[in-house]
Amino acid sequence: MSPSTPFLSVDLERMQANIARTADAATARGLALRPHAKTHKCIEIGRMQLAAGAVGLTVATVGEAEVFAAAGLDDLFIAYPLWVDADRAARLSHLAAIGANIAIGVDSVEGVQRLTRGGLAGRVAVRVEIDAGHHRSGCEPTAAADVAIAAARAGFDVEGVFAFPGHAYAPGAGHPAAVDEARALTIAVAAMHDAGIAPRVVSGGSTPSFDAALAIDSPVTELRPGVGVLGDAQQWELGTMPATDLALTCHATVVSHAGGRLVLDAGSKVLGADRPAWATGHGRLLDHPDARIVLLSEHHAVVDMGDEALPALGSIVRVVPNHVCTAINLVDELAVHHHGTDAQPAAAWRVAARGRNS
């Protein structure tokens, strides 16, 4: 018997196929794969990614690194320009002391100085983050050398550079964002070489730019897709992943037919509230491609079915959240089902790094 709705479910076979397809694509291009585990936050999924050939995992926070390292998944890159305080310095030092291989992001000379004051030189490696067009964090590509020189002089192992082409998250933007990233990384690598620092790792990538990054001329040696392991409604709408590849859904019960629309018992507290400006709804129904969630509150999702008949009251539908990363961070565990089976889950996986945001 399945859990009471709403709950998040993983289609095991679809997820395994996504893991294998991504790993095979990277291997065919001779690129390392370091998936971003902030998407799933699950030890079991991380182990499957490593077993498929990933060189390690990417995380977003020290807390996530602690969870995965404690489970033995301890080759970790914290892809974030950490502003290290005494607490984070002590926690990073502890991870190094227990044998974890930790690299962290840095995008300023001031950030390097904070790491130095924290006593982290020789304990963690660093990668210089550059802005490849997303305009979030990261230094200008030409400034990568200044940050790298400061880190090397302070005694850090400068592994290389990284970028996140987040501007790929828009219709038709995957290929242009990959081109922007390749151009920016090329400039950063050249600047570092001119400064006498040879980057061993040139890391980039996102799910919507993944295929394009494989197809263009780029200095990238490592890719870090996250969402593609499970998929979500954003990837479906962007055309990055077809509905047949989507491996995570929220099982929700039809509780009302108010106003000729469905009302489901899954709201923003399980689906998440993300809705990019280009999205056609607050989420979609996997088995009803024309349906859209048109209104979302904490515990209600109102669905316009278009021309389709309304599923019966009490029936269960499968909702595809807009953003899988935020949805997973709202639940304690994931129900795991074999493909095509909605009865008793085959397993329940704890969202081990849930809430580890520091």
Side-chain angles (χ1 to χ4, degrees), residues 18 25 34 54 56 60 82 85 87 99 103 115 139 161 166 181 183 190 217 227 243 292 323 340:
N18 292 339
R34 188 179 288 272
L82 292 176
D85 55 14
D87 174 69
L115 298 179
C139 63
V161 294
E181 179 184 63
R183 183 184 302 114
D217 184 21
V227 172
R292 295 294 187 277
H323 189 179

Side-chain angles (χ1 to χ4, degrees), residues 217-303:
D217 184 21
S218 172
V220 165
T221 64
E222 175 188 276
L223 290 172
R224 309 184 318 276
V227 172
V229 65
L230 295 167
D232 56 22
Q234 290 186 108
Q235 302 306 321
W236 190 1
E237 294 211 357
L238 290 173
T240 305
M241 298 179 70
T244 50
D245 288 350
L246 301 179
L248 182 130
T249 54
C250 175
H251 290 215
T253 299
V254 180
V255 297
S256 177
H257 282 172
R261 293 171 167 174
L262 295 186
V263 180
L264 307 177
D265 65 353
S268 62
K269 285 188 173 178
V270 68
L271 298 175
D274 280 7
R275 182 181 179 179
W278 46 264
T280 58
H282 295 278
R284 300 180 65 172
L285 303 191
L286 183 63
D287 305 303
H288 304 276
D290 294 330
R292 295 294 187 277
I293 297 177
V294 295
L295 178 64
L296 189 70
S297 52
E298 290 179 81
H299 298 287
H300 302 72
V302 179
V303 182

